[in-house]
Amino acid sequence: MGSLQTPDLPPSNLPSIVLVHPTQKELHATRTLNGESWRHELSLPAYLRRETHLENQDLTKNGGITCWILVDGLAEPNKRPILASCESLRKRALIAREDGKVEESISHGIGSVFCNPEFRHRGYAQRMIEELATKLDTHQQAAGQKAYFTVLYSDIGKTFYSRRGWHAFPSSHIALPPVSDEQEGTFPCINTRPLYSHDLAKLCEQDERILREKMSTNMPSDSKIRVALIPDVHTMTWHHAREEFAAKELLNRAPEIKGAYVKTDSGDQVWCIWTRMFGPDNTLHILRFMIEGETLAHSGEHEPRNLEHSDHSRVRAARAVLQAAQLEAGKWPMQQVEIWNPTPLVILAARQINPSIRVIHREEESITSLRWHGDPGEHTKVEWLLNEKYGWC
Ligand SMILES: CC(C)(COP(=O)(O)OP(=O)(O)OC[C@H]1O[C@@H](n2cnc3c(N)ncnc32)[C@H](O)[C@@H]1OP(=O)(O)O)[C@@H](O)C(=O)NCCC(=O)NCCS
């Protein structure tokens, strides 16, 4: 593209620059442009249809998704240059302080941060993120209330967003290889029950109830503020709408198995909910790994503290659902199974499958980042619980 086609661009500190919602035409233009970066194997028309499909899920419809563009507020809609763009997805969240009171609140996850390649390095993305911080203080909050926290998943390292208040949190994972049908016979595993879409609502409700109980009873003695995005069914089905769209488009079949479930000898439930991500590296991601009765691990804690007797059967059950994930990955063109911020018991389970499993700490991609919108002095006290893949957007 020659510079002749580049419109006159305002300096990024121009006072009239504002963050607004795009018109339909502007949204289409934005997605047509960012599709080149994010559509991967999908054709551009399919990518545009996917984005519309994802806007109409339980999580996103009725204002659940908000599209933002940075423009000169004095310029005319549909004619103004779109200086940068992004989206925010409304998410239910829990916050617990020392007094044991658990409060539900609205949080947002930011995604699709993008600047036209011809407009880059002029400070527009920076200005957009600063404007967004102010918008998200009150966006969709009840009158007089302020957001407690918002999140994003940076693919450009830790510096850019942390300078603007979204600080990097533990961003680790473990990965296991797929297991093929031929290998299945030599792969000793406990039988697990496959999870289908219709199983998820009940399990997510249980998960939320257990999370609320844990947050209110295991209060931090060290004046931490504990926060979590609620792993609810609308969040899971948004991921599944994404995988089903891509699978139908690329492979002409839709994945039905959404996870695996098993009970330990003593009756504790262990399950994981997964999704397949089709991209440059096809990965079966564990969205949520739930081990009933597991002690609430500190975020970033990898080594188990004192293992109780019942933990050994939890580890065996966790190994079984991991193996079910490996088998499922083998039935799809998935290159690996990935588990984000695994708890000590999940790591032990993975090491029973492969003793040399290492915890990988990401430095550039998918850096889980959180902004505390409350008192700035409090941000170092924030502990992000259940910082797993389901929160990604
Ligand atoms: C990331 C992006 C939005 C930045 O837009 P921009 O308007 O050029 O950003 P700004 O001018 O405000 O700030 C530029 C700064 O962004 C940071 N940055 C941009 N791309 C980066 C990358 N790949 N890795 C690390 N930092 C990066 C740098 O600090 C850069 O500083 P520089 O100009 O001195 O090189 C743009 O490069 C883009 O759309 N990239 C493709 C999509 C993408 O990766 N989005 C981010 C998803 S988390």
Side-chain angles (χ1 to χ4, degrees), residues 37-38 83-84 112-116 119-128 152-157 160-161 163 364:
S37 296
W38 291 323
L83 306 173
S112 304
V113 171
F114 191 81
C115 176
N116 184 332
F119 302 174
R120 287 184 190 167
H121 304 294
R122 294 167 188 256
Y124 293 141
Q126 182 176 322
R127 173 79 185 259
M128 176 172 74
L152 59 84
Y153 298 81
S154 169
D155 286 333
I156 54 170
F160 179 81
Y161 292 106
R163 282 208 186 117
E364 284 298 319

Side-chain angles (χ1 to χ4, degrees), residues 247-261:
K248 278 187 212 153
E249 199 64 36
L250 301 173
L251 304 166
N252 211 17
R253 61 182 174 135
E256 289 180 2
I257 300 181
K258 306 299 185 188
Y261 174 102

